């Protein structure tokens, strides 16, 4: 059974940093690219960042480029999202999934950035 467990969210001030983690299980982690998404109430889930299976390629939404860094540790079946220079508009629930994404989602982790 595929499972994603996100953690590391919290309340942070404008300009602050957070590091999110996502532990994945139920599939061969090292064989898949991974993605971070975020969602705010009333809006569709937005793709924030992606990373290839061996960390060779990364991609970012324009809104986070230069501020967020995605990385992964295949030995730990974990993908990370380092978020710096946070803005109030980054406030959302953050989710991870593999690439291509599955219908199975974790509970997400709430990130709240105060102005």
């Amino acid at each position: 059974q595929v499972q994603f467990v996100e953690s590391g969210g919290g309340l942070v001030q404008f300009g602050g940093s957070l590091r999110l983690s996502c532990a994945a299980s139920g599939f061969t982690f090292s064989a898949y690219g991974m993605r971070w998404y975020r969602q705010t109430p009333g809006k569709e889930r937005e793709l924030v960042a992606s990373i290839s299976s061996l960390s060779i390629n990364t991609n970012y939404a324009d809104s986070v480029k230069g501020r967020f860094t995605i990385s992964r540790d295949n030995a730990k079946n974990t993908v990370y999202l380092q978020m710096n220079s946070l803005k109030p508009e980054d406030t959302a629930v953050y989710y991870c999934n593999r690439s291509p994404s599955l219908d199975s989602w974790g509970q997400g982790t709430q990130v709240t950035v105060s102005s």
Side-chain angles (χ1 to χ4, degrees), residues 30-92:
S30 60
Y32 290 88
M34 292 296 295
R35 296 172 173 174
W36 279 100
Y37 294 83
R38 66 186 181 188
Q39 188 171 28
T40 54
K43 292 188 176 181
E44 289 193 2
R45 201 166 274 149
E46 172 193 16
L47 177 60
V48 173
S50 62
I51 187 168
S52 59
S53 59
L54 299 179
S55 304
I56 294 173
N57 295 308
T58 58
N59 288 285
Y60 299 92
D62 287 343
S63 57
V64 307
K65 204 170 290 183
R67 300 187 297 119
F68 289 12
T69 303
I70 188 171
S71 62
R72 64 189 294 162
D73 185 337
N74 285 349
K76 296 182 178 179
N77 287 6
T78 300
V79 61
Y80 304 97
L81 187 67
Q82 177 67 44
M83 306 187 297
N84 298 328
S85 302
L86 283 162
K87 305 174 181 180
E89 51 263 45
D90 295 318
T91 296

